[in-house]
Amino acid sequence: GKHAFLPQKKYRYVLDGLQNMDQGLAEAPDDLEALFIYGMTCYHLPFFFGRKDEAHRTFQTIVGLLEENYQQYDPELVVDVIAFMDEEITLTAGEEATLNSIKAELGGE
């Protein structure tokens, strides 16, 4: 959507992409990489797409997944996900503590 010339085409491409991501997450709702890409995409979309709340729900899901299963994922990916969330996302004190604990355990501090 970013590189389309006409605004209507840009908008349509973004909606199509979001629909594809929604379908992918419906098939694999616990896929950390897919959730992260989806969350980042929704977070960075302009307000008129109405996906900010969805982005925050996705990041909450990611925190829950990491809290329970971070050992199952590539440590470098986990540290990168946590770094993004630390810099960009407003976290609760509990979420922040959880992510900092995981990051410390993985040597990401």
Side-chain angles (χ1 to χ4, degrees), residues 26-71:
E27 293 176 23
D30 294 336
D31 185 302
L32 179 65
E33 290 178 81
L35 283 165
F36 184 56
I37 290 168
Y38 180 73
M40 283 189 359
T41 300
C42 291
Y43 180 78
H44 288 294
L45 284 173
F47 73 93
F48 54 83
F49 283 98
R51 293 288 182 131
K52 292 290 185 217
D53 289 341
E54 185 65 25
H56 289 288
R57 279 192 297 276
T58 301
F59 292 130
Q60 289 172 333
T61 300
I62 289 171
V63 171
L65 281 175
L66 290 177
E67 184 173 26
E68 296 176 16
N69 303 308
Y70 73 91
Q71 306 91 339

